Amino acid sequence: MDQDALVSEIRALKDRVDGITDSTVATVDGMLVASDIDHVSAEGFAALAAAMLGVAQRTVQELGDGVFRETVTRSDSGYVAVYAVGDQTLLAVLADPNLNLARLRLEARQAIGRLAVILSK
């Protein structure tokens, strides 16, 4: 796995989407893989993102609503978005309240494809 390529991809996502403040790639069990984080603990964020992913995946599974794609939480201070990157990895993004969520969703889907390729090497 090319750590530099992963960091480069998540930084490029940050450059393409105004409002992203931090992002990480982690395993579904919460282990940090790569990060571009300035405002929070990278390890802590990876663990929390894995928990968010697990709850969302389980909810989708129980409801029979297909395959999990993303979960987004909004607060007064911004957004947390978690995306599945294959079966074993996730992309998590923190963003400020001015985030264009539609733009994030569009750009994140493309980034997920590129991350999956990098992770498969």
Side-chain angles (χ1 to χ4, degrees), residues 2 7 10 12 14 24 27 30 32 36 52 60-61 64 67 69 72 84 90-91 95 99 108 110-114 120:
D2 186 344
V7 172
I10 58 178
K14 185 177 184 179
T24 191
T27 63
L32 182 66
D36 180 29
M52 287 178 67
V60 169
Q61 182 182 35
V67 178
R69 300 285 181 224
V72 178
L90 62 86
L91 166 66
L99 174 75
Q110 295 170 12
I112 289 164
R114 291 187 291 272
S120 70

Side-chain angles (χ1 to χ4, degrees), residues 26-33 43 46-51 53 87-90:
T27 63
V28 296
D29 58 354
M31 300 302 297
L32 182 66
V33 176
E43 292 81 8
L48 290 170
L53 175 83
D87 293 333
Q88 299 300 312
T89 317
L90 62 86

Side-chain angles (χ1 to χ4, degrees), residues 53-67:
L53 175 83
V55 169
Q57 284 179 323
R58 183 73 177 151
T59 301
V60 169
Q61 182 182 35
E62 284 298 314
L63 296 175
D65 282 346
V67 178

Side-chain angles (χ1 to χ4, degrees), residues 7-77:
V7 172
S8 178
E9 184 58 46
I10 58 178
R11 284 185 178 153
L13 177 63
K14 185 177 184 179
D15 291 342
R16 289 189 306 272
V17 182
D18 289 338
I20 293 177
T21 59
D22 302 280
S23 56
T24 191
V25 175
T27 63
V28 296
D29 58 354
M31 300 302 297
L32 182 66
V33 176
S35 69
D36 180 29
I37 292 185
D38 296 321
H39 302 95
V40 296
S41 160
E43 292 81 8
F45 184 40
L48 290 170
M52 287 178 67
L53 175 83
V55 169
Q57 284 179 323
R58 183 73 177 151
T59 301
V60 169
Q61 182 182 35
E62 284 298 314
L63 296 175
D65 282 346
V67 178
F68 170 82
R69 300 285 181 224
E70 69 185 59
T71 186
V72 178
T73 301
R74 182 175 167 231
S75 71
D76 291 339
S77 61

